[in-house]
Amino acid sequence: MSNRATALERLLKARIEKDGPIGLDVYMAEALMHPEHGYYSRRDPFGLAGDFTTAPEMSQIFGELLGLWLADRWEALGRPRPVCLVELGPGRGTLMADALRAMKVVPDLRAAIDLHLIEASPSLRGKQAAKLKATWHETIDTVPAGFTLLIANEFFDALPIHQFVRGTRGWGERRIGLGDDGGLAFCIGACSPALAHIPESLREAAPGSVVEVSPASLAAMEGIARRLAHHGGAALIVDYGYNEDAVGDSLQAVRRHQRVDVLHRPGDCDITAHVNFASLVRVARAQGIETMGPFPQGAFLEAHGIRLRAAMLAAKASARRRRDIEAAVRRLIAPDMMGELFRVLALSARP
Ligand code: SAH
């Protein structure tokens, strides 16, 4: 059964036979978000029974601390009202539910919030609606104008990328065509206009180097930064990735907590790439937005009181629950777990 091609694989093969190899960006977008067969369109991938576990699904403290950070920025920016609270890719809605609960300590803020969720997946919209009263959007562009507080955790890693490979005479683009056995296979083809996004410092990379660019991520960041610049506000972007422009192939697929081949069963596996934070910072700064970090997630959470909050929760908990709290905190902050690979980029309009 599991060796049979997925419905999406059959569609992609037919498309490649007709029109030739597709870009990685097209493959990623279809594999994750095809309206019928896409990975996120069909399922809830989170948790032990799913394919991967995200920070808010490990501990309520994650969403609480992010919510309190936003509340603090709201104070610093002059307590404007009303407030558009926006989340990109809210998953099960857990992070936002935790953040909103924590924000109750600032009742004026809590009362001023209109919640807007950017979510493409109908099945995840359903999960979010069970927990949150909100308005849903396909992209940030339709969120009404106004002062904005925004969160995105593990959203940017799901946005499509292109991979360019440096040959001896110039660049080629990594594409997906059909192999000798008729299965999906990587090949090198002509470059799309996304080539223009290769950072200055990598244009003369050594032959064999792979450079990843994500026009979709740059566009999403530009939408956020413009909003903050025009209407005021602040944002936290959390994801795994790198701080400086760098070469390397970071594309990965995961199923049931195991790495699998990127071309394996499209639609059944999560596909992500590491986020180039340097490129996001450039886009934000070009709009006049102040950027802080990206900080390692562990350092950020420690600086904002994760240990104190864990101790408060543990004081009221059973011995077993105490051990769970400690284990979750360790996963979030330990350098060999999520503490260093994950980063927190903070953005703020100027007061
Ligand atoms: N933030 C959540 C979920 C992360 S998974 C958590 O931390 O648990 C990625 C989320 O982004 C999912 O909700 C997925 O459906 C959504 N998503 C991915 N690509 C998207 C896109 N192009 N537009 C809107 N939502 C998208």
Side-chain angles (χ1 to χ4, degrees), residues 33 40 46 52 54-57 87-92 95 118-121 124 128 138 153-155 158-159:
M33 285 297 170
Y40 283 113
F46 307 107
F52 59 93
T54 58
E57 301 300 333
E87 185 173 3
L88 300 170
R92 283 180 172 170
L95 193 169
I118 318 298
E119 175 58 69
S121 156
L124 288 176
Q128 294 153 19
E138 290 290 323
N153 184 57
E154 291 209 44
F155 171 75
L159 297 185

Side-chain angles (χ1 to χ4, degrees), residues 179-198:
D180 294 337
D181 62 354
L184 297 173
F186 282 110
C187 59
I188 304 287
C191 293
S192 67
L195 181 69
H197 292 296
I198 293 185

Side-chain angles (χ1 to χ4, degrees), residues 38-101:
Y39 179 73
Y40 283 113
S41 312
R42 295 193 302 152
R43 69 182 78 221
D44 172 355
F46 307 107
L48 278 184
D51 295 315
F52 59 93
T53 308
T54 58
E57 301 300 333
M58 286 170 205
S59 168
Q60 68 185 78
I61 305 175
F62 186 78
E64 290 170 350
L65 296 185
L66 266 50
L68 291 177
W69 187 91
L70 292 177
D72 185 57
R73 287 316 301 167
W74 179 73
E75 301 266 1
L77 291 169
R79 304 169 63 93
R81 274 175 262 198
V83 174
C84 283
L85 179 59
V86 179
E87 185 173 3
L88 300 170
R92 283 180 172 170
T94 309
L95 193 169
M96 187 50 79
D98 292 335
L100 284 169
R101 195 180 54 253

